Structures are given as C-alpha cells and as structure tokens.
Amino acid sequence: MDIKVTRDVFQLAQIFTISRGSRTQAEVLTVRITDGDHVGIGECVPYARYGESLESVTAEIMGLPADVTRDGLQGLLPAGAARNAVDCALWDLAAKQAGKRVWDLLGVAAPRPEITAYTLSLDTPEKMQAQAAENAFRPLLKIKLGTPDDMARLEAVRRGASTSRIIVDANEGWTADVYAELAPHLLRLGVQMVEQPLPAGEDDMLAEIARPLPVCADESCHDRSSLPGLKGKYDMVNIKLDKTGGLTEALALKEESIAQGYDVMVGCMVGSSLAMAPAVLLAQGVAFTDLDGPLLLAEDRDTPLTFDDAGVHAPAIALWG
C-alpha cells in the first residue's frame, strides 16, 4: 500500500477562542492510503496541548510500514492524531474494498441523525450574548468559558438564548474554588453539564467537592487506559477520535465507559467534515454530541456532512466510509 499525507487549511467563519488562545483557521492533515485500486482517506488535527504538531504527526505517519493493518496499527502508534488519521483511512479503505459501508463491516445499523451542540467562542459577555441570540434557534449550545470572570458570560448567553439547552466547557481554565462558586449558578441557568473544569492532572479535588451537575472528562480522558484515573471524579467522558487514536479505540472506549457507568459525549477538534464523519457513527445514542466543526468553517470538503433540524447525518460514500 502507499501512504500519503497532505496539509490542508480551512478558514474559519469567525475567530474561534477558548481559554488557551484563538485561531482563524483549521490546519489539518489528510491521509490517503491506496492499494492500487481503492483509496481510503482520513483526517486528523494535531493538537499542541498534547505535544503534537503538523510536522511531528506527519513524521509518525510516514514512519509506518507500507503493509500496516488496522490491528497492527494499534501497537505501532500511541493514541493521538497520527493514529487517528491512519485508522480512519484504513476503515475507509476496507469499506471500499468490500463495497460496503463501515457500519456494515461493524455489523451495526446505519447511523441516524444526531443533534449536535453548536459552540459559542469565548468572548466578552456582550459579544457572547449576540452569538447566543444569533444561534438561539439551535437546540443545544456549548459555551466556551474558563476564566475567573465567567459569571457575566453565563448570564449573557442565557439572555441571548432563553430556550436552548446549554453545556459548558471550561477547557481546564477554572480552579476548584471558581468551579464551586459557579456551580449553583450553572444549575440556576439550566446548564446540563460542565466539561473539564479543572486542569488534567490537577483534578483530584473533583472527588472531594460536590458535583451538583454532571462533570465530563475531556483532557483527562484519552483512551481506555485513562478510565482508572477518572473514578470518583467524573460522571461522563468526552470521546474524540484525535485523542483515542481513531475509530477502533474510540468504539472500545465507548463500550468500556458505558460498562463502567459513565455517560458518553462524542466531541471533536476544529476540523472538516472528513474528521467528523467517523465520529457520527460513534455518536449514536450518546448523551451529548458535539460535532460542529464544519459549522464553524467558512469552507469545507467537496462532499460535506449534512446538518439540518434533525442533526448531523451519516456521511455520503464520496466523503468517507
């Protein structure tokens, strides 16, 4: 087989800000694997938070043997962006070789549409209220927070979108004291879940303080090896393909998380429809779906995912799987 990696850049519709910084474009790596007759394709988003760069991830991928298999891949690369793009490309290749969809290979039903969260970028309360009002028609909004001054932002978003369900992502930006102070107000404002309030590695306090609403592990949960460290601290896990290292491990993590009593959220980095496509399959039946990456872009793949009132739909064959 032949493995190729290209860098693609997608401009964002507007500046996207979280507690760690801002961006105006999504830089992704696209992997194409061919057997001479069929081409499998996958996408990943290298993430500096996890020590990844476009260059380092490209080097990992190009260091793989040409005869890499999906099973063999799991032991050749660690969980992360590089393994994700290759794993998803191999799933796509297998589907094309078999003339079937990936869900047929897995023996599961075709994915149904899933309502996805729409993310409001971190900004001033006034601008976040305007963002919320503009998107108040959406059933589920995700608010990026993570500063000591988030109370005004919470109030502003609720004013802007009085009926939308709300979830909050602090991106490791709070302390235990800040979270404890905000938690009653999160409940008062109808927030249904808070994601990663404390930094990974500094989250033991979550086992000691009250958790009046579900707390979801994001940066603290990568793959199945993360689960023992979450016990007593989290109620939910956010599964992202770029963290698990692909659909193969993501499906296993979902099954094991549910078996251990965790609710599941399926999330994403800011990428194109190609990055979201395998995650639509993963998101079936979970508590929260957050696959809005393409909705944040000014441009997308040639055959993008369909988003409508029913949610995000399964990918077309021309896109993936």
Side-chain angles (χ1 to χ4, degrees):
M1 295 191 298
D2 181 57
I3 303 175
K4 286 187 169 60
V5 183
T6 57
R7 174 189 171 195
D8 292 303
V9 178
F10 297 92
Q11 297 301 316
L12 302 187
Q14 60 187 23
I15 296 174
F16 185 76
T17 301
I18 66 173
S19 61
R20 281 191 289 271
S22 301
R23 67 179 70 181
T24 59
Q25 57 189 21
E27 295 182 285
V28 310
L29 293 177
T30 305
V31 170
R32 291 176 174 83
I33 303 178
T34 179
D35 63 2
D37 296 313
H38 308 90
V39 180
I41 188 169
E43 177 184 314
C44 68
V45 183
Y47 201 35
R49 168 66 179 81
Y50 305 134
E52 298 172 336
S53 68
L54 294 165
E55 294 76 20
S56 70
V57 170
T58 298
E60 284 185 278
I61 296 169
M62 297 312 298
L64 290 169
D67 61 350
V68 64
T69 64
R70 196 169 60 247
D71 287 341
L73 174 67
Q74 309 308 309
L76 291 173
L77 289 178
R83 196 175 76 189
N84 173 36
V86 177
D87 184 74
C88 290
L90 288 170
W91 274 109
D92 187 40
L93 180 63
K96 289 173 177 173
Q97 290 170 332
K100 298 180 178 181
R101 302 308 304 267
V102 166
W103 44 89
D104 296 324
L105 299 182
L106 287 166
V108 298
R112 298 177 62 85
E114 290 284 340
I115 294 294
T116 181
Y118 180 82
T119 304
L120 304 184
S121 178
L122 180 66
D123 212 320
T124 65
E126 294 76 18
K127 289 184 178 179
M128 291 188 76
Q129 181 173 337
Q131 286 185 64
E134 183 179 347
N135 292 282
F137 68 94
R138 301 184 188 275
L140 179 62
L141 296 178
K142 176 174 172 175
I143 314 172
K144 288 290 190 181
L145 297 176
T147 79
D149 307 311
D150 282 335
M151 191 63 238
R153 293 184 175 95
L154 281 165
E155 299 275 11
V157 168
R158 182 46 87 195
R159 285 195 299 271
S162 60
T163 60
S164 298
R165 298 163 63 210
I166 291 177
I167 56 179
V168 162
D169 184 4
N171 279 117
E172 306 180 279
W174 290 338
T175 64
D177 288 342
V178 169
Y179 172 60
E181 181 180 340
L182 285 175
H185 299 289
L186 297 175
L187 286 172
R188 174 175 61 83
L189 294 169
V191 173
Q192 299 191 347
M193 178 270 285
V194 59
E195 191 178 342
Q196 200 67 44
L198 307 184
E202 301 175 23
D203 54 2
D204 288 346
M205 281 297 295
L206 290 173
E208 301 176 23
I209 62 177
R211 299 199 306 274
L213 73 166
V215 178
C216 180
D218 182 3
E219 286 85 352
S220 291
C221 182
H222 289 249
D223 59 9
R224 282 173 291 174
S225 69
S226 303
L227 291 176
L230 307 182
K231 191 172 183 180
K233 298 188 288 188
Y234 293 96
D235 312 289
M236 183 180 298
V237 296
N238 186 352
I239 303 177
K240 295 178 179 176
L241 298 179
D242 276 314
K243 292 190 302 176
T244 64
L247 182 61
T248 301
E249 174 62 22
L251 290 167
L253 174 58
K254 178 182 177 181
E255 181 179 6
E256 184 61 27
S257 298
I258 293 171
Q260 293 191 24
Y262 294 100
D263 286 328
V264 171
M265 174 182 186
V266 170
C268 65
M269 306 302 186
V270 182
S272 81
S273 283
L274 176 59
M276 310 300 129
V280 176
L281 175 58
L282 181 68
Q284 297 298 293
V286 302
F288 294 104
T289 297
D290 178 24
L291 298 177
D292 63 343
L295 299 177
L296 306 176
L297 302 180
E299 52 190 348
D300 200 356
R301 301 282 177 175
D302 290 339
T303 309
L305 289 172
T306 296
F307 292 82
D308 60 22
D309 290 347
V312 54
H313 291 250
I317 291 176
L319 178 64
W320 182 86

